[in-house]
Amino acid sequence: MFNQQEKIFLLGICAVLFFGACLDLAFKQFPFLSSIVNVMESPSVYPKVDVNQANREELVRIPYIGDYTAGRIIAYRQTHGGFRSLEELKKVTGIKEKNYERFKSYLKVRP
Amino acid sequence: MKKPVYPCCLAVFCFSTGIIVGRFWGVPFVYLGYGLLLLFFLNAFLLRRKYVSQFFLLLLIFLFGIFWTQVRLQASADDISRLSYEIRRQMMMVEGKVASEVEYRQFFKRQKTMFVVEVLRVKIGDKWQKRRGQLVVQIFRPVALEYGDVVWIEGRFLPPFVKEDDGPVSYADYLEIRNIRYILSVKKEGKVEVVEKGKGFWLKAFSFRLRQKLFGIFDRHLTVNEAGLMKAVILGERSHVPKHVNELFLRTGTVHVLAISGFNVGIVAALFLMAFRFFPVSRRMMLGTVIVLLAGYCFLVGSAPSVLRSTIMIIILLTGFMLEKEPQPINTLAVAAFGILIFNPLYLFDIGFQLSFICVWAIFIVSPFLSKETNILEEVPGYNRNFFRWLWHSLALSLAIWLAVAGLIAYYFRIVTPVTILANLPIVPIIGAVIAFGFLLILVELCFPFAGVWVALALKFVLNAMIAIVFLFDQLPWSSFFFNSVTHWHLIIYYALLLTALIIVLRINVSDNKQKVTHTK
């Protein structure tokens, strides 16, 4: 009735539906699993750049950081010997709380 | 002179060289006309002289490349870009037809409306003048418009912005390739009035409505970020991809999976072919229908150069199956390039076009040399040999593609990503699953909407797993390097070295084969 390729095709569709139904059941039983699967929404998967190591080009690539802000960050780093925490970025001239909130997920401070 | 193995490749090379000369240097049309006529008659008279006529034919194609590019660059007398500076700097009323999908983008706290308008008339003083050409319109407020609306727009002409950190290709260059030279900027209080509705091409209007319907399916079942990614992978809408996800893919050199290319179109073709197996139709009928559906898909996703390239190649391949002839892959690639460059010669300078073609060239030419099996594989026990063979071939393919595109990526994006060679191994099969699941979701939503949620959950799982893997590759040390600037000289030297290495390998290969033949004799 069906040849091998057709069987694989239909089995594939069934497998996807079965897998999805299992996930549906698992998410209903254990709601915390949903947040584990939703990796894309988590700030932990943002491409992070070490604010103490990054050069101008790397900083400029980060959304909401322009050439001016990158220059100010590098200047601050040079005069103060680096950042001890991400919060310290707010001390850089021109970086306000709102801007900091926008790009902080893209930055890290390596101890 | 040896007979060229790939005649179409030589023709495309000459045509492309002509395009470069036509864009950067230019030749007066009078000389071009005389040259083309002379070469045409020389070809006609020397048709029996095999090599001489071939040489003149290639020269003719080269001149035709210059001519075609210059015709394309030449704006007509009533083109909108020909308005004098004095007129352009004033506020102006433009009558035009919305010629693209209308996009609403976030602009600080507000939304802005963006679309392309095909100019019909311009009001200068109190009089309307007929004008032609296209403009990008930016209205700094949300306005309800759709494709095919005839509108009156009051705004100011601006040249496209060129930023210092744009790299070798700016937004202005991108628009120039698409024959757009100005932006019509409309402030919050600028007048926008719809004069007439439904004046667009019905097929295009239908494709935009279908796109919106398909966007809706992803929006209903997935989060904003996930839906944005799926819209890029299935429908070619890159503007919805979240910035952090795009950056992750760029830093691992796997950003190619987010653009619709041969891989995606190939999967679509395979899915169509598989689905048609369940219908009682003849083989020719099935292949013919798939060709039409593929052309429709290409139209639906916006006909970007990479989509055009892959669609043309797959259509030639399927036509070959229909006629029971096996097409030559390199010549097929050349035919696709020729077709796209005839349609718009300036696509030669499009990043997508360059990456797409060089990538396929690497798959056909470079990869077979790298994937030649060594004796090491023979020592692997039988049951593991297939796995190692797959791994070896996949690594060779990934390395070949990376070597081919690394120069262009470094030049345009100022980044080199050695991690790509490894990252492609898991990402390419996963993206294949993502595309298949995406199409399955559309199919299930249309036929059995109650089951859509299950397919969406499976898709969500695979999609997030892919992001997690890309993230892990990005965390590896020395995964990517950033450069201050890469000049076109670096690019030329890189590709010259790559080509030299390839020629050397080719020669060694030929001499090895000759030795083998003499030994067997």
Side-chain angles (χ1 to χ4, degrees):
Chain A
M1 199 170 134
F2 293 119
N3 66 23
Q4 201 182 349
Q5 282 179 324
E6 286 162 357
K7 278 181 204 161
I8 291 171
F9 184 70
L10 289 173
L11 273 175
I13 293 176
C14 291
V16 173
L17 286 170
F18 179 69
F19 180 56
C22 288
L23 280 176
D24 193 18
L25 194 70
F27 290 162
K28 278 175 188 162
Q29 293 285 319
F30 312 103
F32 69 93
L33 283 177
S34 170
S35 57
I36 295 175
V37 171
N38 267 341
V39 176
M40 214 190 293
E41 306 300 318
S42 155
S44 57
V45 294
Y46 276 56
K48 287 186 171 45
V49 167
D50 185 1
V51 77
N52 283 326
Q53 299 286 323
N55 58 25
R56 207 185 188 96
E57 284 72 41
E58 279 179 88
L59 287 171
V60 168
R61 293 178 73 88
I62 294 169
Y64 310 108
I65 293 187
D67 206 37
Y68 173 80
T69 313
R72 305 300 305 180
I73 291 172
I74 289 166
Y76 184 94
R77 209 164 66 187
Q78 281 165 351
T79 48
H80 294 81
F83 295 89
R84 275 162 289 281
S85 71
L86 266 188
E87 290 277 318
E88 207 179 330
L89 272 168
K90 287 187 221 168
K91 291 182 185 167
V92 175
T93 324
I95 297 182
K96 304 240 167 71
E97 180 73 33
K98 204 166 76 184
N99 286 3
Y100 169 75
E101 288 298 323
R102 278 176 170 168
F103 58 67
K104 73 169 184 189
S105 310
Y106 293 93
L107 296 169
K108 66 180 175 189
V109 175
R110 214 169 250 168
Chain B
M1 188 179 168
K2 269 188 175 180
K3 189 186 171 186
V5 185
Y6 305 121
C8 295
C9 287
L10 266 179
V12 169
F13 176 75
C14 292
F15 191 65
S16 307
T17 318
I19 292 171
I20 295 168
V21 173
R23 187 179 182 193
F24 294 111
W25 293 285
V27 180
F29 275 109
V30 183
Y31 297 138
L32 273 178
Y34 284 135
L36 282 168
L37 263 176
L38 182 73
L39 284 169
F40 182 79
F41 284 116
L42 272 174
N43 262 303
F45 286 124
L46 301 169
L47 211 56
R48 287 191 181 178
R49 293 282 199 89
K50 200 174 168 187
Y51 298 121
V52 179
S53 71
Q54 250 180 43
F55 172 76
F56 282 129
L57 187 67
L58 291 175
L59 204 60
L60 183 79
I61 293 170
F62 166 73
L63 279 192
F64 183 66
I66 303 176
F67 174 76
W68 198 241
T69 312
Q70 290 188 185
V71 167
R72 177 84 193 186
L73 287 171
Q74 195 82 14
S76 61
D78 59 348
D79 194 272
I80 193 75
S81 61
R82 289 245 175 150
L83 285 174
S84 71
Y85 175 68
E86 284 305 313
I87 297 171
R88 265 191 280 127
R89 62 197 283 245
Q90 298 163 11
M91 283 292 275
M92 215 181 310
M93 182 74 89
V94 174
E95 185 185 275
K97 194 166 68 184
V98 179
S100 72
E101 224 171 358
V102 180
E103 283 180 51
Y104 299 97
R105 289 191 188 173
Q106 208 61 36
F107 184 71
F108 293 100
K109 283 181 182 173
R110 295 190 302 274
Q111 267 194 327
K112 68 174 177 180
T113 313
M114 280 185 77
F115 56 93
V116 175
V117 74
E118 198 184 309
V119 179
L120 302 170
R121 292 192 301 170
V122 177
K123 198 172 186 180
I124 299 170
D126 292 334
K127 286 182 181 172
W128 283 98
Q129 266 189 20
K130 275 197 175 180
R131 289 276 164 179
R132 279 199 285 184
Q134 290 193 324
L135 295 168
V136 167
V137 181
Q138 284 190 345
I139 307 170
F140 290 92
R141 63 173 194 267
V143 183
L145 293 170
E146 59 180 28
Y147 168 74
D149 287 354
V150 177
V151 281
W152 282 358
I153 311 166
E154 188 186 37
R156 201 180 287 279
F157 276 54
L158 295 175
F161 319 111
V162 179
K163 288 190 279 179
E164 264 181 40
D165 57 342
D166 264 346
V169 178
S170 65
Y171 184 50
D173 297 322
Y174 170 82
L175 288 181
E176 197 199 350
I177 289 172
R178 281 141 190 92
N179 216 6
I180 299 172
R181 292 181 182 87
Y182 286 99
I183 293 174
L184 186 66
S185 178
V186 184
K187 288 194 173 172
K188 272 193 290 181
E189 64 277 8
K191 184 182 171 183
V192 180
E193 192 184 327
V194 180
V195 187
E196 232 177 323
K197 284 187 93 66
K199 283 281 164 188
F201 177 43
W202 66 271
L203 195 59
K204 210 169 175 184
F206 170 75
S207 90
F208 287 147
R209 274 203 296 276
L210 184 63
R211 264 167 81 89
Q212 289 304 325
K213 205 175 160 90
L214 298 179
F215 283 175
I217 293 176
F218 293 124
D219 287 334
R220 260 201 307 283
H221 290 289
L222 305 169
T223 63
V224 178
N225 288 343
E226 289 163 352
L229 200 62
M230 286 313 293
K231 286 172 195 173
V233 170
I234 304 283
L235 298 161
E237 183 55 66
R238 291 287 297 274
S239 64
H240 294 239
V241 178
K243 278 180 182 170
H244 71 280
V245 172
N246 196 57
E247 185 65 16
L248 264 183
F249 278 93
L250 198 64
R251 287 160 65 113
T252 49
T254 49
V255 76
H256 59 92
V257 301
L258 300 186
I260 293 184
S261 61
F263 183 64
N264 306 47
V265 181
I267 289 176
V268 176
L271 286 174
F272 281 144
L273 285 171
M274 197 57 87
F276 269 100
R277 279 173 170 268
F278 296 96
F279 294 95
V281 287
S282 67
R283 192 166 170 270
R284 280 196 171 192
M285 178 80 174
M286 179 176 83
L287 289 171
T289 319
V290 171
I291 286 172
V292 174
L293 285 172
L294 276 183
Y297 178 68
C298 175
F299 190 69
L300 180 75
V301 300
S303 312
S306 61
V307 188
L308 276 174
R309 194 265 309 148
S310 37
T311 310
I312 293 173
M313 285 186 74
I314 292 174
I315 286 177
I316 293 174
L317 189 78
L318 292 178
T319 316
F321 285 153
M322 264 171 88
L323 304 172
E324 288 168 6
K325 280 183 179 174
E326 200 180 332
Q328 223 286 334
I330 292 289
N331 275 339
T332 312
L333 185 70
V335 169
F338 204 68
I340 296 170
L341 292 176
I342 287 281
F343 173 66
N344 183 357
L346 296 183
Y347 270 151
L348 186 67
F349 308 100
D350 185 272
I351 306 170
F353 177 92
Q354 293 170 3
L355 288 176
S356 179
F357 275 90
I358 205 154
C359 202
V360 181
W361 174 81
I363 291 171
F364 289 147
I365 301 286
V366 186
S367 168
F369 291 111
L370 295 177
S371 65
K372 280 206 160 174
E373 285 162 48
T374 60
N375 295 331
I376 306 163
L377 281 177
E378 299 303 321
E379 288 163 23
V380 177
Y383 52 89
N384 276 339
R385 203 177 292 157
N386 282 343
F387 169 73
F388 279 103
R389 193 169 285 158
W390 169 82
L391 193 68
W392 181 261
H393 283 290
S394 304
L395 270 173
L397 186 66
S398 188
L399 178 65
I401 295 172
W402 181 74
L403 281 172
V405 300
L408 284 172
I409 298 272
Y411 180 64
Y412 288 119
F413 303 107
R414 300 165 190 169
I415 188 172
V416 169
T417 54
V419 78
T420 311
I421 302 162
L422 288 177
N424 270 332
L425 293 184
I427 297 303
V428 171
I430 294 177
I431 198 72
V434 167
I435 295 166
F437 285 21
F439 278 102
L440 188 62
L441 177 61
I442 292 170
L443 188 77
V444 168
E445 264 291 302
L446 295 175
C447 304
F448 317 102
F450 63 91
V453 67
W454 297 333
V455 181
L457 280 171
L459 172 64
K460 198 187 249 290
F461 184 84
V462 179
L463 206 57
N464 283 290
M466 181 176 74
I467 299 296
I469 293 170
V470 175
F471 176 73
L472 289 176
F473 275 110
D474 181 49
Q475 297 306 301
L476 291 176
W478 305 297
S479 59
S480 55
F481 300 95
F482 296 90
F483 290 95
N484 193 1
S485 69
V486 179
T487 64
H488 59 276
W489 285 113
H490 292 124
L491 193 70
I492 291 167
I493 291 168
Y494 175 78
Y495 282 108
L497 286 174
L498 195 68
L499 219 59
T500 315
L502 189 70
I503 290 166
I504 292 168
V505 173
L506 199 77
R507 292 213 161 179
I508 292 170
N509 198 46
V510 169
S511 62
D512 277 0
N513 283 349
K514 274 182 186 171
Q515 275 177 1
K516 272 181 194 171
V517 169
T518 47
H519 277 296
T520 47
K521 276 180 183 176

